[in-house]
Amino acid sequence: MKKILIAVLCMCTVLSGCSGGGNRSGIFAKEGISPYELSEEQQELLSAFGMTDTSKLFSFSAPKEAITVEVNAYRLTDSGTWEQTGNGAMSIGTEREPVSRLSGTIAMEQRENYCMDFHISCAGQGSFSTEEITLEETPLGSTKSYLEEFLSIGLNQEIPVAVMVYDSGTEMKSYTPQDYFEPSVFQGMDLVQVVTVLFSEKGIGE
């Protein structure tokens, strides 16, 4: 039921952004990616299902050259490198059908055992999930941070939009998604997860 709810919310944001006919308006009026501001009704719906703190939505309008949006989930390994734990993409193709511009929404839902569900809406619907993660110790603390403001989009450049950090120690620092580029700052943490978004002029699999 929660997966269906997130998918419906994701599609509703696209429909509201496209309601202006041929003109891009509202959330798609400017090239970039930003957190999506839920309406009061949407906030109440998430609250009713207990999803307010576990669900995040982002809206995007890619540069005209882009035809593919890709969402990547990573886990930081013991060696300090990023290991991909999930990946999904949507493309309007070189024919740019049924839309001529790559724009839409991305929803993420955090579930038990550190797994995540993702829904991408862009001239269609796509979804994927990451696998569950088992830790030797139950973390005593956690901190989560998300993209908080509009960012411009550069082609073929990963944009971190979320970071989730868990640890069984007694101290926890604050982090931002931009710390993705300096993984050494997470040294000593039990589990670090990051979500990035990438826009490309290439088709899926190219």
Side-chain angles (χ1 to χ4, degrees):
M1 176 61 72
K2 288 186 177 182
K3 287 186 178 182
I4 296 174
L5 175 59
I6 284 292
V8 170
L9 281 176
C10 210
M11 178 56 75
C12 285
T13 61
V14 172
L15 293 177
S16 64
C18 297
S19 59
N23 298 321
R24 294 193 303 159
S25 59
I27 60 174
F28 305 135
K30 186 178 180 182
E31 289 182 3
I33 183 169
S34 65
Y36 179 78
E37 186 174 347
L38 294 169
S39 68
E40 184 176 343
E41 291 79 10
Q42 290 169 331
Q43 290 176 345
E44 291 177 353
L45 189 58
L46 286 180
S47 178
F49 281 84
M51 300 169 63
T52 303
D53 297 329
T54 59
S55 302
K56 295 295 176 182
L57 281 83
F58 308 94
S59 60
F60 63 86
S61 181
K64 63 181 180 180
E65 297 87 359
I67 62 172
T68 299
V69 54
E70 180 179 346
V71 179
N72 297 290
Y74 296 101
R75 174 184 182 178
L76 190 64
T77 67
D78 292 338
S79 61
T81 59
W82 294 110
E83 175 185 52
Q84 190 177 79
T85 58
N87 167 271
M90 292 285 291
S91 179
I92 58 176
T94 54
E95 299 83 6
R96 295 180 179 269
E97 293 291 343
V99 295
S100 60
R101 198 72 179 246
L102 184 68
S103 60
T105 54
I106 299 166
M108 60 177 289
E109 165 68 10
Q110 299 167 55
R111 299 194 291 114
E112 294 180 354
N113 299 321
Y114 316 104
C115 63
M116 294 176 281
D117 295 330
F118 294 90
H119 297 272
I120 308 171
S121 289
C122 175
Q125 291 279 321
S127 62
F128 72 96
S129 300
T130 62
E131 295 183 358
E132 294 184 356
I133 296 175
T134 301
L135 299 179
E136 293 182 359
E137 295 185 57
T138 300
L140 298 176
S142 66
T143 181
K144 301 176 183 180
S145 180
Y146 307 92
L147 176 69
E148 295 182 350
E149 58 186 6
F150 174 90
L151 284 181
S152 298
I153 292 173
L155 290 178
N156 306 308
Q157 298 176 9
E158 288 195 273
I159 302 171
V161 297
V163 59
M164 290 75 66
V165 183
Y166 306 86
D167 191 57
S168 55
T170 57
E171 295 184 4
M172 175 69 71
K173 298 191 300 183
S174 60
Y175 300 94
T176 72
Q178 288 298 313
D179 289 325
Y180 163 76
F181 297 109
E182 296 184 35
S184 60
V185 303
F186 300 111
Q187 185 176 3
M189 297 296 100
D190 290 348
L191 174 63
V192 182
Q193 296 174 293
V194 166
V195 177
T196 70
V197 181
L198 183 145
F199 299 88
S200 172
E201 73 277 25
K202 300 178 181 180
I204 296 176
E206 292 185 12

